[in-house]
Amino acid sequence: MLRISCSYFYYSFSLVLWVNVLNDLCSCAETSHNVPYPAEYNNVTFLTEPPEWLKPCKRKDPKLSECLRDTFQNMFPWLAKGIPEIGIRPFEPLYIDRVGIKKGQGAVTLTGAFTDLIVHGPSNTTAVYTRMDFKKNRFDIGLIIPVIKLDAKYDLKGNILLLPLVGVGDAKLHLRNVTTHVQTRISFPKIRGEEIMYATSMRVEFSLSAMRVHLDNLFNGNKVLGRTVNQFLNQNSVEVVEELKENIGESLSNVFRKIMNDAFSHIPTKMWLLTD
């Protein structure tokens, strides 16, 4: 379940990533072009015309952060439908292959994964703020998702605040007021003469006000033990997520940094910003 909440964040994160791209794109003039990137991007196909869903910003606009925040909000209707030309699948519902969990010490110890995640709610994300630092090539963004509903498969084993948890089956999560803070470092390498945005690193932090979860088939279908664990998880959901959020955030940042880079490698930065 913890895993899943991350995936939600992930969705918002991936959206965030795109925003980060926009902001950092605006800083491309001050950024080095000598930062390495994976060789797989050498043969990428670039968009030839500015996309309808992207509102450009002026890189020297004193209100750049506000412009980029608006740009991000403008993308949500398109994200909900998907943007196939840059490899973005529909966000309503959003499908995620796998999110792994591995935490070996502390009050919560878990190993396993959530797979085949179907997520409803990410398209209702609101960008609360954006902060851009051109000199440090860093872009920060804050997001709020009012409600996230998720269905997935799970395979987990470990302990939750001294209570054992073992199971393989279906999972359902209902998250409220998911607040996400994403910090991304961006570089602007050139590929075949075209400058693109590349996320070199990312850090994701999140919190939520409440969560309901149900894991089917705990302890090989033992209804008494399964009911006890599910009740405990729901009574202590915020505390459990707090224990796992660093592990989850790291997993999400790795997965979605690649998603962001795969998407924005198709878009030359000249389509994202205006020089005057």
Side-chain angles (χ1 to χ4, degrees):
M1 75 162 241
L2 304 173
R3 175 52 171 142
I4 300 178
S5 63
C6 291
S7 41
Y8 294 121
F9 303 127
Y10 156 68
Y11 312 135
S12 40
F13 304 154
S14 62
L15 301 178
V16 171
L17 301 180
W18 301 320
V19 181
N20 298 336
V21 172
L22 297 175
N23 297 282
D24 292 300
L25 290 176
C26 300
S27 66
C28 61
E30 290 85 2
T31 311
S32 171
H33 298 292
N34 298 320
V35 179
Y37 57 88
E40 63 190 274
Y41 296 119
N42 283 329
N43 298 318
V44 70
T45 301
F46 299 123
L47 293 180
T48 57
E49 296 181 0
E52 181 180 358
W53 43 265
L54 179 59
K55 172 190 173 183
C57 295
K58 295 182 179 180
R59 69 180 64 180
K60 294 185 178 181
D61 188 344
K63 296 184 177 180
L64 174 61
S65 292
E66 290 86 343
C67 179
L68 292 174
R69 184 183 58 195
D70 292 344
T71 297
F72 178 60
Q73 287 296 147
N74 184 62
M75 290 174 67
F76 278 113
W78 298 90
L79 291 169
K81 297 182 295 183
I83 308 176
E85 60 266 33
I86 59 171
I88 297 178
R89 293 177 291 185
F91 269 56
E92 288 296 335
L94 179 63
Y95 175 78
I96 301 295
D97 294 335
R98 183 180 187 278
V99 177
I101 294 179
K102 185 177 181 181
K103 186 174 186 292
Q105 58 183 343
V108 175
T109 60
L110 276 179
T111 58
F114 288 89
T115 58
D116 299 328
L117 298 94
I118 304 296
V119 185
H120 295 268
S123 66
N124 292 319
T125 299
T126 297
V128 180
Y129 68 83
T130 61
R131 300 190 187 108
M132 176 70 140
D133 189 325
F134 293 148
K135 293 182 179 179
K136 295 181 179 179
N137 293 327
R138 172 172 163 173
F139 174 72
D140 298 343
I141 184 167
L143 304 171
I144 291 181
I145 309 176
V147 177
I148 293 176
K149 295 182 180 180
L150 182 149
D151 294 312
K153 302 290 183 181
Y154 81 95
D155 184 347
L156 296 172
K157 181 178 181 179
N159 293 280
I160 301 290
L161 305 176
L162 302 181
L163 190 68
L165 186 157
V166 178
V168 178
D170 296 329
K172 291 182 180 294
L173 285 88
H174 189 165
L175 314 178
R176 288 192 175 277
N177 299 321
V178 178
T179 300
T180 303
H181 303 279
V182 179
Q183 302 170 4
T184 306
R185 291 190 181 278
I186 306 276
S187 64
F188 293 88
K190 282 190 175 182
I191 299 178
R192 304 196 310 275
E194 292 286 1
E195 182 184 72
I196 65 163
M197 176 282 305
Y198 180 73
T200 59
S201 66
M202 178 179 296
R203 179 180 176 85
V204 175
E205 299 178 352
F206 63 89
S207 62
L208 64 160
S209 65
M211 177 173 67
R212 298 291 297 174
V213 59
H214 183 80
L215 304 178
D216 286 338
N217 199 44
L218 285 166
F219 304 98
N220 291 320
N222 187 304
K223 294 186 180 299
V224 175
L225 292 177
R227 185 183 307 114
T228 298
V229 170
N230 275 307
Q231 289 176 346
F232 185 83
L233 286 173
N234 284 307
Q235 291 169 358
N236 299 277
S237 59
V238 175
E239 291 82 358
V240 172
V241 170
E242 181 69 22
E243 284 287 327
L244 289 174
K245 68 179 185 179
E246 183 175 350
N247 174 260
I248 294 174
E250 181 179 354
S251 176
L252 290 177
S253 65
N254 291 334
V255 172
F256 296 106
R257 185 172 70 91
K258 184 178 187 306
I259 290 176
M260 179 180 69
N261 285 334
D262 286 348
F264 284 98
S265 62
H266 293 279
I267 311 171
T269 57
K270 65 185 180 183
M271 294 183 180
W272 298 72
L273 13 125
L274 302 177
T275 57
D276 49 29

